[in-house]
Amino acid sequence: AELKVLIMQINPHFLYNTLEVISGIADEEGVEQISDITQSLSKMLRYSIGLDRELVTVEEELEHCKHYLLILKSRFGDELQIECHFDPATYPCLMMKMTLQPLIENAIRHGIESKLGQGKLGIRVERNGDMVEIDIEDNGVGFDEQKLHELRAFMADVANSFNWTTTSTHLGLKNVYTRLSLLFGERLDFRIDSVKGEGTTIRIRFPAITNKQRSG
């Protein structure tokens, strides 16, 4: 087990170093887009693999998402329109690490990529009183009605949700919901509204708690 831990520590560093080499070559060759992508990917890896803490500030989570959005724009170009509104008042608030990027990835992979025409992705993060509100909206193909029903049933059964977390490594809607539930409990509001063929909106509301409030 100790050997496996040591190997796992080596692999990320190898990836970081390789990405830095690629970025350096891209800079020398004047290929700015490749340099930007590799730098963003390297920062995303450092953020996601780091095991030092599970709670991060909203600002840190949004910074991680910005790197991912840069990669998405590099891939899709004008085929993907992204609109973001980030309220600075939310930045000091605490949230679970790796919450937003999996939800954005889900919107792209299961919604927008399957839709003909220009994809649209909207991300809104605001503070409303003592709550942080997050909306992730896409104009993709929407949820299949049966799958949406199953997901809502899963979210309503908290006990099974916790059990699922210990037996799955999938980073998706269920994983994000379960981890947020563990942190915020009944004060979490997590809703999915979807219309087949029109798109999906995920709305999340949780208490606006800062490190200062938590320590106090």
Side-chain angles (χ1 to χ4, degrees):
E2 291 177 355
L3 180 59
K4 286 183 178 180
V5 169
L6 292 173
I7 293 174
M8 287 175 67
Q9 290 175 341
I10 292 173
N11 288 338
H13 288 292
F14 171 75
L15 287 172
Y16 303 148
N17 293 338
T18 302
L19 287 169
E20 287 175 2
V21 169
I22 295 172
S23 180
I25 294 173
D27 281 335
E28 291 177 4
E29 297 296 325
V31 188
E32 185 176 340
Q33 186 179 32
I34 294 178
S35 176
D36 290 343
I37 291 172
T38 51
Q39 287 181 35
S40 289
L41 181 56
S42 177
K43 291 174 182 177
M44 286 183 68
L45 283 170
R46 291 182 188 275
Y47 181 84
S48 60
I49 295 175
L51 301 175
D52 55 331
R53 59 202 169 107
E54 184 68 14
L55 287 180
V56 295
T57 64
V58 170
E59 184 175 19
E60 289 172 308
E61 184 74 359
L62 290 178
E63 188 64 26
H64 175 69
C65 287
K66 288 176 184 177
H67 294 305
Y68 183 57
L69 294 176
L70 182 147
I71 293 173
L72 287 178
K73 285 297 293 182
S74 298
R75 177 186 174 189
F76 292 102
D78 293 337
E79 293 181 5
L80 178 63
Q81 178 183 336
I82 302 175
E83 294 184 1
C84 299
H85 172 71
F86 301 149
D87 179 2
T90 66
Y91 290 176
C93 300
L94 296 175
M95 66 185 299
M96 292 293 278
K97 185 179 184 180
M98 294 297 292
T99 294
L100 297 182
Q101 185 269 329
L103 298 180
I104 295 170
E105 182 178 355
N106 187 80
I108 297 295
R109 290 182 59 192
H110 302 294
I112 293 175
E113 279 190 347
S114 302
K115 183 182 179 71
L116 296 175
Q118 186 184 53
K120 294 182 180 180
L121 176 70
I123 306 168
R124 181 184 68 88
V125 182
E126 289 185 344
R127 180 161 181 168
N128 186 357
D130 62 349
M131 302 292 285
V132 174
E133 299 182 346
I134 298 174
D135 284 0
I136 299 176
E137 185 175 3
D138 69 72
N139 71 334
V141 296
F143 270 81
D144 175 82
E145 189 173 333
Q146 179 61 30
K147 289 184 178 179
L148 185 58
H149 174 75
E150 292 173 357
L151 183 57
R152 285 172 174 165
F154 169 88
M155 291 166 59
D157 192 344
V158 177
N160 283 342
S161 299
F162 295 164
N163 180 63
W164 177 89
T165 305
T166 64
T167 59
S168 174
T169 57
H170 178 63
L171 253 183
L173 281 169
K174 291 181 179 179
N175 182 288
V176 169
Y177 171 75
T178 304
R179 290 187 295 117
L180 287 173
S181 294
L182 284 167
L183 178 62
F184 296 113
E186 294 182 355
R187 298 200 67 188
L188 171 70
D189 184 14
F190 192 111
R191 302 183 184 183
I192 302 174
D193 297 313
S194 186
V195 178
K196 189 70 173 176
E198 295 185 14
T200 301
T201 299
I202 296 176
R203 292 187 169 92
I204 307 171
R205 297 178 76 248
F206 55 83
I209 303 170
T210 65
N211 268 318
K212 186 176 180 179
Q213 291 171 316
R214 195 161 175 258
S215 60

